[in-house]
Amino acid sequence: MSQGDGYQSPGGSSSGPGAGIASYDWLDITVGSDTGGSMRNPGGLQGVFANRPSTGAVSLDNVLPLCHELDTAGVFARDAATWSRVMHAWYQNFTNYRDYPKRLFYPNSSFPSSNTASGALLEEFIVKVEDFLGTKREFVDIASHWEESHPSNTPSNITDLLNTVSFSNLNTYSETNLL
């Protein structure tokens, strides 16, 4: 899907509210849903503030579900101040900033490589997060941890497991059960 000028792609199922907030000054906020990127993609593509809160952070009573395990609702705004005011009103426990995380878990892998442009940007960001939190990242070997602790009825290699679980499979399973 693309807009008429052919240069912008609103992206995702919440592309309407994402493109709307980017296009119309008379809108202060718009609301969308996110199951697999439907808020984040339009937010990034339209250059607006968007979020995907944790599943369960916002009540979805009376909302037609796509996948209960992944569905959540989010807000688009053109500026951080408006977005923040909405978040403080919408999320009941959003305003308590007394304690920041003391631990920063980081994957023990080579992705992305620090000698790439994206890897250098990520490294710069992580160093700033470490400085802000006053902590150092703790490297976690997820593959080894999975191999040591996986349930007996699952593959011991996490990549094998993840290759069998896809977003579309999870949604299809959920939709079938919901119908």
Side-chain angles (χ1 to χ4, degrees):
M1 179 188 313
S2 65
Q3 288 182 257
D5 64 8
Y7 292 103
Q8 296 176 350
S9 171
S13 62
S14 290
S15 60
I21 196 69
S23 302
Y24 299 109
D25 291 341
W26 50 268
L27 290 172
D28 293 322
I29 65 164
T30 56
V31 176
S33 64
D34 194 311
T35 301
S38 303
M39 291 288 302
R40 295 160 285 162
N41 289 340
L45 291 170
Q46 297 301 318
V48 297
F49 290 85
N51 69 312
R52 186 207 191 284
S54 297
T55 302
V58 176
S59 171
L60 293 178
D61 292 346
N62 302 313
V63 173
L64 182 63
L66 177 61
C67 181
H68 285 295
E69 294 81 3
L70 302 175
D71 291 345
T72 190
V75 173
F76 291 104
R78 278 184 304 282
D79 63 85
T82 301
W83 181 85
S84 179
R85 282 195 307 277
V86 173
M87 296 301 94
H88 286 278
W90 204 3
Y91 306 132
Q92 298 302 305
N93 296 316
F94 192 77
T95 58
N96 186 351
Y97 290 113
R98 290 186 203 132
D99 295 319
Y100 289 107
K102 302 294 181 219
R103 299 175 75 186
L104 179 62
F105 296 111
Y106 195 83
N108 193 12
S109 70
S110 60
F111 176 81
S113 175
S114 59
N115 64 358
T116 65
S118 59
L121 283 173
L122 179 60
E123 180 61 24
E124 181 182 339
F125 173 75
I126 294 298
V127 167
K128 288 179 180 179
V129 171
E130 288 174 326
D131 290 344
F132 177 78
L133 295 175
T135 189
K136 291 292 181 194
R137 70 192 97 171
E138 297 177 39
F139 290 95
V140 178
D141 188 339
I142 297 169
S144 293
H145 181 70
W146 176 259
E147 190 173 325
E148 295 166 8
S149 64
H150 70 91
S152 61
N153 61 342
T154 61
S156 62
N157 183 309
I158 195 167
T159 302
D160 293 342
L161 173 74
L162 295 176
N163 283 337
T164 63
V165 177
S166 70
F167 176 72
S168 61
N169 288 346
L170 185 57
N171 276 346
T172 300
Y173 178 80
S174 181
E175 291 169 9
T176 302
N177 287 331
L178 291 170
L179 289 175

